[in-house]
């Protein structure tokens, strides 16, 4: 093979390799637009994604953090400009450093007592924070790859609620037994959990509550897996269709639900979580009507 032919062959091979790599990257990005799945893939057990509004940064997504920590996250841009003066790579602050104390304001007592090191990546309008609780954790994720992933997570279009998937789950569940219709409320529990957190204004509190309620909904969707259905209702409430051929023990179900939400709500406040039965329904129409109503 002549030199020119060899060069052309190499260029063709490189182009095919680049196309395959780009396709693989695109597939990876699509698979990791979900922050929670992405954290699990990265083995980040305690993580928060801050986003900036006009005045401040606040947590919009969290893994392994409690409601009080989420509430305390609403913080001025000026603070972060001083605390994280560069956007190059990971920035870490250990408990032994004096600077660690400046981040106390964002952590609940429980998280603060467990945290050994805080790791940050700063982007223009967002911040990723990891809370390291033990010495076994090794921060090996490439910062530039993490930044790319965060951008895709932030700007990914949220998938609309697939009402057909919910209806399909309901129909499948009804083959097991009638639907017990439940209303779960965490409103009082959350309000009590964050009652001592100062907010700039009602708008700031509303944004924080939206994040906390979304975390509650995600936790309950994991707890009440399909064919059971769990959908948001009014602020701080979830509508649940629980399928069983046997009568359910409402108090036992409430106990397990509150216990599962305790790490998020806080153990002292799980007693304020309520779970009430709204009725029993044997058909899809009534169950779907209940789930759709606010």
């Amino acid at each position: 093979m002549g030199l020119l032919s060899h060069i052309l062959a190499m260029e063709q091979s490189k182009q095919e390799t680049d196309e395959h790599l780009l396709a693989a990257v695109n597939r990876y990005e699509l698979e990791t637009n979900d922050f929670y799945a992405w954290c699990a893939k990265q083995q980040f057990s305690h993580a928060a994604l801050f986003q900036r509004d006009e005045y401040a940064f606040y947590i919009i997504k969290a893994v392994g953090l409690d409601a009080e920590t989420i509430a305390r996250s609403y913080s001025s841009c000026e603070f972060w400009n001083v605390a994280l003066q560069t956007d190059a790579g990971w920035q870490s602050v250990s408990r032994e450093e004096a600077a660690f104390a400046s981040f106390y304001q964002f952590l609940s007592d429980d998280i603060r007592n467990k945290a050994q090191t805080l790791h940050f990546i700063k982007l223009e309008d967002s911040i990723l924070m990891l809370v390291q609780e033990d010495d076994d954790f090794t921060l090996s994720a490439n910062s530039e790859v993490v930044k790319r992933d965060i951008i895709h997570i932030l700007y990914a279009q949220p998938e609309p609620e697939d009402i057909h998937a919910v209806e399909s789950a309901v129909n499948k569940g009804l083959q097991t037994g009638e639907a017990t219709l439940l209303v779960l409320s965490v409103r009082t529990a959350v309000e009590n959990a964050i009652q001592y957190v100062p907010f700039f204004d009602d708008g700031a509190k509303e944004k924080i509550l939206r994040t906390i309620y979304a975390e509650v909904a995600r936790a309950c969707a994991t707890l009440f897996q399909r064919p059971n259905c769990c959908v948001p209702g009014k602020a701080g409430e979830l509508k649940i269709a629980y399928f069983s051929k046997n009568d359910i023990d409402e108090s036992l179900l409430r106990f397990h639900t509150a216990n599962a939400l305790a790490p998020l709500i806080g153990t002292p406040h799980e007693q304020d979580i309520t779970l009430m039965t709204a009725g029993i329904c044997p058909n899809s129409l009534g169950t779907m009507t209940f789930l759709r109503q606010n």
Side-chain angles (χ1 to χ4, degrees), residues 38-243:
W38 178 79
C39 284
K41 188 182 183 73
Q42 300 288 342
Q43 297 183 320
F44 296 158
S45 56
H46 305 282
L49 183 57
F50 290 72
Q51 191 168 33
R52 190 181 72 181
D53 62 15
E54 186 177 358
Y55 306 105
F57 283 89
Y58 64 99
I59 291 176
I60 59 169
K61 297 180 185 294
V63 170
L65 301 179
D66 54 32
E68 185 183 349
T69 297
I70 295 172
R72 289 182 176 279
S73 69
Y74 206 88
S75 47
S76 70
C77 299
E78 289 76 12
F79 168 83
W80 290 106
N81 288 337
V82 173
L84 305 178
Q85 296 186 6
T86 176
D87 58 1
W90 287 101
Q91 301 177 64
S92 301
V93 183
S94 69
R95 176 177 289 278
E96 289 73 23
E97 298 178 59
F100 190 86
S102 64
F103 296 99
Y104 281 172
Q105 59 183 309
F106 304 118
L107 308 176
S108 67
D109 289 344
D110 184 54
I111 298 294
R112 185 188 309 161
N113 291 335
K114 294 177 181 177
Q116 297 300 316
T117 304
L118 302 176
H119 305 281
F120 300 93
I121 279 187
K122 183 182 180 183
L123 290 83
E124 183 176 357
D125 295 319
S126 58
I127 296 167
L128 176 67
M129 179 180 77
L130 306 182
V131 180
Q132 179 182 334
E133 292 189 350
D134 55 60
D135 296 331
D136 295 334
F137 177 79
T138 301
L139 189 62
S140 58
N142 180 278
S143 61
E144 293 305 314
V145 174
V146 168
K147 287 183 179 181
R148 181 205 63 188
D149 290 347
I150 293 300
I151 290 171
H152 281 280
I153 289 168
L154 285 171
Y155 295 102
Q157 294 297 318
E159 293 184 6
E161 181 183 12
D162 189 347
I163 197 65
H164 297 294
V166 175
E167 191 167 8
S168 176
V170 167
N171 290 330
K172 184 177 180 181
L174 288 170
Q175 296 174 16
T176 302
E178 293 180 323
T180 299
L181 309 179
L182 303 161
V183 178
L184 173 71
S185 177
V186 298
R187 187 183 306 149
T188 301
V190 170
E191 288 286 352
N192 289 339
I194 66 174
Q195 62 181 314
Y196 299 116
V197 177
F199 290 99
F200 290 175
D201 51 39
D202 290 341
K205 184 176 181 180
E206 182 180 343
K207 290 175 181 177
I208 290 299
L209 287 174
R210 193 180 306 139
T211 298
I212 295 172
Y213 291 152
E215 295 305 310
V216 170
R218 184 178 67 88
C220 286
T222 302
L223 184 63
F224 294 95
Q225 295 185 359
R226 295 294 171 88
N228 303 304
C229 298
C230 183
V231 300
K234 297 177 182 178
E237 290 186 354
L238 292 171
K239 301 284 193 69
I240 300 167
Y242 185 79
F243 301 97

